[in-house]
Short mmCIF file of all heavy atoms in Angstrom, two decimals:
data_model
loop_
_atom_site.label_atom_id
_atom_site.label_comp_id
_atom_site.label_asym_id
_atom_site.label_seq_id
_atom_site.Cartn_x
_atom_site.Cartn_y
_atom_site.Cartn_z
N ALA A 1 -11.81 10.00 -10.78
CA ALA A 1 -12.76 9.22 -9.99
C ALA A 1 -12.15 7.89 -9.59
O ALA A 1 -12.23 7.46 -8.42
CB ALA A 1 -14.05 8.99 -10.79
N ALA A 2 -11.47 7.23 -10.54
CA ALA A 2 -10.81 5.96 -10.23
C ALA A 2 -9.70 6.16 -9.22
O ALA A 2 -9.48 5.32 -8.34
CB ALA A 2 -10.26 5.34 -11.52
N GLY A 3 -8.97 7.28 -9.33
CA GLY A 3 -7.90 7.55 -8.37
C GLY A 3 -8.41 7.71 -6.96
O GLY A 3 -7.81 7.20 -6.01
N LEU A 4 -9.53 8.39 -6.80
CA LEU A 4 -10.12 8.57 -5.47
C LEU A 4 -10.61 7.23 -4.90
O LEU A 4 -10.40 6.94 -3.72
CB LEU A 4 -11.27 9.57 -5.54
CG LEU A 4 -10.89 11.02 -5.84
CD1 LEU A 4 -12.14 11.87 -6.00
CD2 LEU A 4 -9.99 11.59 -4.74
N VAL A 5 -11.25 6.44 -5.75
CA VAL A 5 -11.74 5.13 -5.28
C VAL A 5 -10.58 4.25 -4.85
O VAL A 5 -10.63 3.58 -3.80
CB VAL A 5 -12.56 4.44 -6.39
CG1 VAL A 5 -12.87 3.00 -6.02
CG2 VAL A 5 -13.85 5.21 -6.65
N ALA A 6 -9.50 4.24 -5.64
CA ALA A 6 -8.33 3.41 -5.29
C ALA A 6 -7.72 3.86 -3.97
O ALA A 6 -7.36 3.03 -3.12
CB ALA A 6 -7.30 3.48 -6.42
N ALA A 7 -7.58 5.18 -3.79
CA ALA A 7 -6.97 5.69 -2.57
C ALA A 7 -7.83 5.37 -1.35
O ALA A 7 -7.32 4.93 -0.31
CB ALA A 7 -6.75 7.20 -2.69
N ILE A 8 -9.13 5.59 -1.46
CA ILE A 8 -10.03 5.30 -0.33
C ILE A 8 -10.03 3.82 -0.01
O ILE A 8 -9.96 3.41 1.16
CB ILE A 8 -11.46 5.79 -0.65
CG1 ILE A 8 -11.49 7.32 -0.74
CG2 ILE A 8 -12.44 5.31 0.41
CD1 ILE A 8 -12.79 7.88 -1.25
N GLY A 9 -10.09 2.98 -1.05
CA GLY A 9 -10.09 1.54 -0.82
C GLY A 9 -8.84 1.06 -0.13
O GLY A 9 -8.89 0.25 0.80
N PHE A 10 -7.68 1.60 -0.53
CA PHE A 10 -6.41 1.20 0.08
C PHE A 10 -6.30 1.74 1.50
O PHE A 10 -5.76 1.09 2.40
CB PHE A 10 -5.26 1.67 -0.78
CG PHE A 10 -3.92 1.06 -0.42
CD1 PHE A 10 -3.84 -0.19 0.15
CD2 PHE A 10 -2.75 1.74 -0.67
CE1 PHE A 10 -2.61 -0.76 0.47
CE2 PHE A 10 -1.52 1.20 -0.35
CZ PHE A 10 -1.46 -0.06 0.23
N ALA A 11 -6.81 2.95 1.72
CA ALA A 11 -6.76 3.56 3.05
C ALA A 11 -7.53 2.73 4.07
O ALA A 11 -7.13 2.62 5.24
CB ALA A 11 -7.30 4.98 3.01
N LEU A 12 -8.63 2.14 3.63
CA LEU A 12 -9.52 1.41 4.55
C LEU A 12 -9.27 -0.10 4.55
O LEU A 12 -9.88 -0.81 5.36
CB LEU A 12 -10.98 1.67 4.19
CG LEU A 12 -11.45 3.13 4.22
CD1 LEU A 12 -12.92 3.21 3.82
CD2 LEU A 12 -11.24 3.73 5.60
N LEU A 13 -8.44 -0.60 3.67
CA LEU A 13 -8.23 -2.04 3.56
C LEU A 13 -7.66 -2.60 4.86
O LEU A 13 -6.54 -2.25 5.25
CB LEU A 13 -7.30 -2.36 2.40
CG LEU A 13 -7.10 -3.85 2.08
CD1 LEU A 13 -8.41 -4.47 1.60
CD2 LEU A 13 -6.01 -4.02 1.03
N PRO A 14 -8.37 -3.47 5.56
CA PRO A 14 -7.89 -3.97 6.86
C PRO A 14 -6.53 -4.66 6.77
O PRO A 14 -5.69 -4.49 7.67
CB PRO A 14 -8.99 -4.95 7.28
CG PRO A 14 -10.21 -4.46 6.60
CD PRO A 14 -9.74 -3.95 5.26
N ALA A 15 -6.30 -5.43 5.72
CA ALA A 15 -5.01 -6.11 5.60
C ALA A 15 -3.85 -5.12 5.52
O ALA A 15 -2.78 -5.34 6.09
CB ALA A 15 -5.01 -7.02 4.37
N ALA A 16 -4.07 -3.99 4.81
CA ALA A 16 -3.02 -2.97 4.70
C ALA A 16 -2.77 -2.32 6.05
O ALA A 16 -1.62 -2.08 6.45
CB ALA A 16 -3.42 -1.93 3.66
N VAL A 17 -3.84 -2.01 6.78
CA VAL A 17 -3.70 -1.43 8.12
C VAL A 17 -2.97 -2.40 9.04
O VAL A 17 -2.08 -2.02 9.80
CB VAL A 17 -5.09 -1.08 8.69
CG1 VAL A 17 -4.97 -0.59 10.14
CG2 VAL A 17 -5.78 -0.03 7.83
N TYR A 18 -3.34 -3.67 8.95
CA TYR A 18 -2.75 -4.70 9.80
C TYR A 18 -1.25 -4.83 9.56
O TYR A 18 -0.45 -4.82 10.50
CB TYR A 18 -3.48 -6.02 9.52
CG TYR A 18 -2.81 -7.26 10.04
CD1 TYR A 18 -2.69 -7.50 11.41
CD2 TYR A 18 -2.34 -8.24 9.17
CE1 TYR A 18 -2.10 -8.65 11.89
CE2 TYR A 18 -1.75 -9.39 9.63
CZ TYR A 18 -1.63 -9.60 10.99
OH TYR A 18 -1.05 -10.75 11.47
N TYR A 19 -0.85 -4.94 8.30
CA TYR A 19 0.57 -5.15 8.00
C TYR A 19 1.40 -3.91 8.24
O TYR A 19 2.60 -4.01 8.55
CB TYR A 19 0.74 -5.64 6.56
CG TYR A 19 0.41 -7.11 6.41
CD1 TYR A 19 -0.71 -7.52 5.70
CD2 TYR A 19 1.22 -8.08 7.00
CE1 TYR A 19 -1.03 -8.87 5.58
CE2 TYR A 19 0.92 -9.41 6.88
CZ TYR A 19 -0.21 -9.81 6.18
OH TYR A 19 -0.51 -11.14 6.07
N ASP A 20 0.81 -2.72 8.13
CA ASP A 20 1.56 -1.51 8.48
C ASP A 20 1.87 -1.46 9.97
O ASP A 20 2.77 -0.73 10.39
CB ASP A 20 0.76 -0.26 8.07
CG ASP A 20 0.84 0.01 6.58
OD1 ASP A 20 1.79 -0.47 5.95
OD2 ASP A 20 -0.05 0.71 6.06
N GLY A 21 1.14 -2.23 10.77
CA GLY A 21 1.37 -2.24 12.22
C GLY A 21 2.24 -3.38 12.70
O GLY A 21 2.47 -3.50 13.90
N LEU A 22 2.73 -4.22 11.78
CA LEU A 22 3.58 -5.35 12.16
C LEU A 22 5.04 -5.04 11.85
O LEU A 22 5.34 -4.26 10.93
CB LEU A 22 3.20 -6.62 11.39
CG LEU A 22 1.81 -7.22 11.64
CD1 LEU A 22 1.66 -8.49 10.82
CD2 LEU A 22 1.58 -7.50 13.11
N VAL A 23 5.94 -5.64 12.59
CA VAL A 23 7.36 -5.57 12.26
C VAL A 23 7.62 -6.65 11.22
O VAL A 23 8.17 -7.72 11.49
CB VAL A 23 8.24 -5.75 13.51
CG1 VAL A 23 9.72 -5.61 13.16
CG2 VAL A 23 7.87 -4.72 14.57
N GLN A 24 7.16 -6.39 10.01
CA GLN A 24 7.28 -7.29 8.87
C GLN A 24 7.54 -6.45 7.62
O GLN A 24 7.15 -5.28 7.54
CB GLN A 24 6.01 -8.13 8.69
CG GLN A 24 5.68 -9.06 9.84
CD GLN A 24 6.60 -10.27 9.90
OE1 GLN A 24 7.37 -10.53 8.98
NE2 GLN A 24 6.52 -11.02 10.99
N LYS A 25 8.14 -7.06 6.62
CA LYS A 25 8.53 -6.31 5.43
C LYS A 25 7.36 -5.96 4.52
O LYS A 25 7.54 -5.22 3.54
CB LYS A 25 9.57 -7.10 4.64
CG LYS A 25 9.09 -8.45 4.11
CD LYS A 25 10.23 -9.18 3.42
CE LYS A 25 9.79 -10.52 2.87
NZ LYS A 25 10.92 -11.23 2.22
N ALA A 26 6.16 -6.46 4.80
CA ALA A 26 5.01 -6.19 3.94
C ALA A 26 4.72 -4.70 3.82
O ALA A 26 4.32 -4.22 2.75
CB ALA A 26 3.78 -6.92 4.46
N SER A 27 4.89 -3.95 4.90
CA SER A 27 4.61 -2.51 4.86
C SER A 27 5.54 -1.79 3.90
O SER A 27 5.10 -1.01 3.05
CB SER A 27 4.74 -1.91 6.27
OG SER A 27 4.53 -0.51 6.23
N LEU A 28 6.84 -2.06 4.00
CA LEU A 28 7.80 -1.43 3.10
C LEU A 28 7.58 -1.90 1.67
O LEU A 28 7.70 -1.11 0.72
CB LEU A 28 9.23 -1.76 3.55
CG LEU A 28 10.37 -1.15 2.74
CD1 LEU A 28 10.27 0.38 2.73
CD2 LEU A 28 11.72 -1.60 3.28
N ALA A 29 7.23 -3.16 1.48
CA ALA A 29 6.98 -3.68 0.14
C ALA A 29 5.78 -3.00 -0.50
O ALA A 29 5.81 -2.65 -1.69
CB ALA A 29 6.75 -5.20 0.20
N SER A 30 4.72 -2.78 0.27
CA SER A 30 3.53 -2.10 -0.27
C SER A 30 3.87 -0.67 -0.69
O SER A 30 3.44 -0.20 -1.74
CB SER A 30 2.42 -2.08 0.78
OG SER A 30 1.97 -3.39 1.07
N PHE A 31 4.64 0.02 0.14
CA PHE A 31 5.04 1.38 -0.19
C PHE A 31 5.85 1.41 -1.49
O PHE A 31 5.59 2.23 -2.39
CB PHE A 31 5.86 1.98 0.95
CG PHE A 31 6.58 3.24 0.59
CD1 PHE A 31 5.90 4.44 0.49
CD2 PHE A 31 7.94 3.22 0.34
CE1 PHE A 31 6.57 5.62 0.13
CE2 PHE A 31 8.61 4.38 -0.02
CZ PHE A 31 7.93 5.58 -0.12
N LEU A 32 6.82 0.52 -1.61
CA LEU A 32 7.67 0.52 -2.80
C LEU A 32 6.90 0.08 -4.04
O LEU A 32 7.17 0.57 -5.15
CB LEU A 32 8.88 -0.40 -2.57
CG LEU A 32 9.89 0.10 -1.53
CD1 LEU A 32 10.95 -0.95 -1.26
CD2 LEU A 32 10.54 1.40 -2.00
N LEU A 33 5.94 -0.82 -3.88
CA LEU A 33 5.11 -1.21 -5.01
C LEU A 33 4.31 -0.01 -5.51
O LEU A 33 4.23 0.23 -6.73
CB LEU A 33 4.17 -2.34 -4.60
CG LEU A 33 3.15 -2.77 -5.66
CD1 LEU A 33 3.83 -3.22 -6.95
CD2 LEU A 33 2.25 -3.88 -5.12
N CYS A 34 3.71 0.75 -4.60
CA CYS A 34 2.95 1.94 -5.01
C CYS A 34 3.86 2.99 -5.61
O CYS A 34 3.47 3.70 -6.56
CB CYS A 34 2.19 2.51 -3.81
SG CYS A 34 0.85 1.45 -3.23
N LEU A 35 5.08 3.11 -5.09
CA LEU A 35 6.04 4.05 -5.67
C LEU A 35 6.40 3.64 -7.09
O LEU A 35 6.49 4.48 -8.00
CB LEU A 35 7.30 4.10 -4.80
CG LEU A 35 8.40 5.07 -5.23
CD1 LEU A 35 7.88 6.50 -5.19
CD2 LEU A 35 9.64 4.91 -4.35
N PHE A 36 6.57 2.35 -7.32
CA PHE A 36 6.86 1.84 -8.66
C PHE A 36 5.70 2.11 -9.61
O PHE A 36 5.89 2.56 -10.75
CB PHE A 36 7.16 0.34 -8.58
CG PHE A 36 7.28 -0.34 -9.91
CD1 PHE A 36 8.29 0.00 -10.80
CD2 PHE A 36 6.38 -1.33 -10.28
CE1 PHE A 36 8.39 -0.61 -12.04
CE2 PHE A 36 6.47 -1.96 -11.51
CZ PHE A 36 7.49 -1.60 -12.39
N LEU A 37 4.47 1.85 -9.17
CA LEU A 37 3.29 2.10 -10.00
C LEU A 37 3.18 3.59 -10.33
O LEU A 37 2.82 3.97 -11.45
CB LEU A 37 2.03 1.62 -9.29
CG LEU A 37 1.91 0.11 -9.09
CD1 LEU A 37 0.67 -0.22 -8.27
CD2 LEU A 37 1.88 -0.63 -10.43
N PHE A 38 3.49 4.44 -9.35
CA PHE A 38 3.45 5.88 -9.56
C PHE A 38 4.47 6.30 -10.63
O PHE A 38 4.18 7.11 -11.52
CB PHE A 38 3.72 6.60 -8.25
CG PHE A 38 3.80 8.09 -8.36
CD1 PHE A 38 2.65 8.86 -8.49
CD2 PHE A 38 5.02 8.75 -8.33
CE1 PHE A 38 2.71 10.24 -8.58
CE2 PHE A 38 5.10 10.13 -8.42
CZ PHE A 38 3.95 10.88 -8.55
N ALA A 39 5.68 5.72 -10.53
CA ALA A 39 6.73 6.05 -11.51
C ALA A 39 6.35 5.56 -12.90
O ALA A 39 6.55 6.26 -13.90
CB ALA A 39 8.06 5.45 -11.07
N ILE A 40 5.79 4.36 -12.97
CA ILE A 40 5.36 3.82 -14.27
C ILE A 40 4.25 4.68 -14.87
O ILE A 40 4.23 4.95 -16.07
CB ILE A 40 4.88 2.36 -14.11
CG1 ILE A 40 6.07 1.42 -13.90
CG2 ILE A 40 4.07 1.92 -15.31
CD1 ILE A 40 6.93 1.23 -15.12
N ALA A 41 3.31 5.11 -14.03
CA ALA A 41 2.20 5.93 -14.51
C ALA A 41 2.68 7.27 -15.07
O ALA A 41 2.02 7.86 -15.92
CB ALA A 41 1.20 6.16 -13.40
#
């Protein structure tokens, strides 16, 4: 249940959508942060 809530919240988060559309390193940083959390989990 927590996994679904986290995924939905991140999918709809306006700041995440916004930065994924910019030529800025925030998009790659967010992806790598989630990859790190996945590996730690």
Side-chain angles (χ1 to χ4, degrees):
L4 292 175
V5 170
I8 293 172
F10 193 28
L12 301 179
L13 186 65
V17 175
Y18 166 67
Y19 282 111
D20 283 338
L22 296 182
V23 182
Q24 297 286 351
K25 62 183 181 181
S27 177
L28 182 59
S30 295
F31 167 76
L32 291 173
L33 174 58
C34 291
L35 182 62
F36 171 64
L37 294 175
F38 176 76
I40 286 290

